[in-house]
Amino acid sequence: MKLIDELKAKNGSFLLELRTDLNWNHDSFINLLTELNDECKRTKENLKLSRDTACGIWYISDFVKNWTEHQNFPKEFAEEYYEKACELINDLAYSYFMAESPYESESEIENKITKLKTFYNNT
């Protein structure tokens, strides 16, 4: 699924499933992170950003954490998983808006996405 479809919560998106079914779909989430990371790399040198994409990234950087921290949200995974997931969203939002990685190495975010994917597979 394309990033804009994820951000607009189209059918089959991580956000739609999270919001309406209270279900954290790990594979969809990894897709969202991967698409967002690709967008960060693609637009790094752009002075102008897409308003639709920017609004969606701004929204998810707050919504996902707040939604999953609610006391009634059913947590299928360890708390550490959700913390790392929300940290990655914030890192990617920073990368998108600031046009730089919050880390010394540009590949650190990709490493963190891989670790989260592995973390899930080990739970």
Side-chain angles (χ1 to χ4, degrees):
M1 179 167 279
K2 294 180 182 178
L3 178 61
I4 197 63
D5 296 331
E6 286 282 358
L7 297 175
K8 289 186 173 189
K10 300 269 178 138
N11 282 336
S13 69
F14 169 77
L15 288 176
L16 184 63
E17 196 169 341
L18 181 69
R19 172 64 177 97
T20 59
D21 298 334
L22 298 175
N23 182 46
W24 184 286
N25 183 318
H26 174 74
D27 292 334
S28 292
F29 181 69
I30 295 298
N31 179 68
L32 172 63
L33 293 178
T34 302
E35 289 291 325
L36 182 49
N37 189 45
D38 290 347
E39 181 70 6
C40 290
K41 288 191 249 180
R42 189 182 69 72
T43 61
K44 184 176 180 181
E45 302 299 324
N46 294 7
L47 295 177
K48 296 179 182 180
L49 300 173
S50 161
R51 183 177 300 271
D52 284 347
T53 303
C55 288
I57 292 170
W58 174 83
Y59 177 76
I60 67 168
S61 68
D62 186 56
F63 169 76
V64 173
K65 182 177 182 182
N66 287 338
W67 198 251
T68 56
E69 284 182 343
H70 190 278
Q71 65 186 13
N72 293 332
F73 183 81
K75 293 193 175 170
E76 180 180 343
F77 311 111
E79 190 62 38
E80 181 183 2
Y81 171 87
Y82 296 102
E83 289 170 5
K84 289 180 181 298
C86 292
E87 179 182 311
L88 268 169
I89 290 173
N90 286 333
D91 290 348
L92 286 163
Y94 178 91
S95 292
Y96 180 76
F97 290 112
M98 304 305 285
E100 65 181 27
S101 175
Y103 302 102
E104 288 184 33
S105 169
E106 290 286 328
S107 64
E108 186 63 25
I109 288 179
E110 289 170 359
N111 293 339
K112 287 181 175 261
I113 292 171
T114 300
K115 285 179 185 176
L116 187 66
K117 190 175 184 180
T118 304
F119 183 90
Y120 168 76
N121 291 331
N122 291 330
T123 58

